Amino acid sequence: MVRAMARAAGVERKRGIADRLAGRDGRVERVEVFLGAQRLVLNLAGGHPKAEVCTEVRGVVLSRRPVALDEWVRELASAVAARAQSDARARVALERLVLGE
């Protein structure tokens, strides 16, 4: 299993021999998105997607809630939109501080 982790998201892939010989990355088995204390997990292994929304603090999962795929997508969209809005406000505040506006 190959794991490629970024700061806010992670993808696990499974590579078979055919994938290795062909130079392919393999198929995605798990996707994790970390947004603050929320962790959204989509497990694709086994042919049926299983989604869950977790609350995690300092690496400890405090709650884990299985959800339907459409709810997982809504949670992801909402969390990304909230992060983008927060980041935009932070950028404006930093510009004001640095530029003295």
Side-chain angles (χ1 to χ4, degrees):
M1 192 173 304
V2 176
R3 182 175 216 150
M5 290 295 286
R7 182 172 171 222
V11 176
E12 288 183 18
R13 298 176 180 268
K14 183 173 183 180
R15 289 180 70 192
I17 292 175
D19 292 322
R20 287 184 180 92
L21 292 174
R24 294 186 300 245
D25 292 335
R27 69 176 184 267
V28 173
E29 287 208 331
R30 183 178 176 97
V31 176
E32 291 183 72
V33 181
F34 304 90
L35 293 162
Q38 189 174 42
R39 182 173 77 173
L40 300 156
V41 180
L42 182 59
N43 191 344
L44 301 167
H48 299 288
K50 295 177 186 165
E52 60 184 12
V53 177
C54 305
T55 301
E56 182 177 307
V57 177
R58 295 186 192 109
V60 176
V61 177
L62 301 177
S63 70
R64 184 180 309 266
R65 180 174 48 104
V67 295
L69 184 57
D70 60 339
E71 184 178 346
W72 187 87
V73 171
R74 279 194 303 272
E75 290 274 349
L76 176 62
S78 175
V80 168
R83 173 62 66 93
Q85 186 177 30
S86 172
D87 288 351
R89 285 194 308 263
R91 180 186 56 80
V92 169
L94 185 59
E95 284 178 351
R96 286 181 182 156
L97 179 68
V98 172
L99 300 176
E101 295 178 1

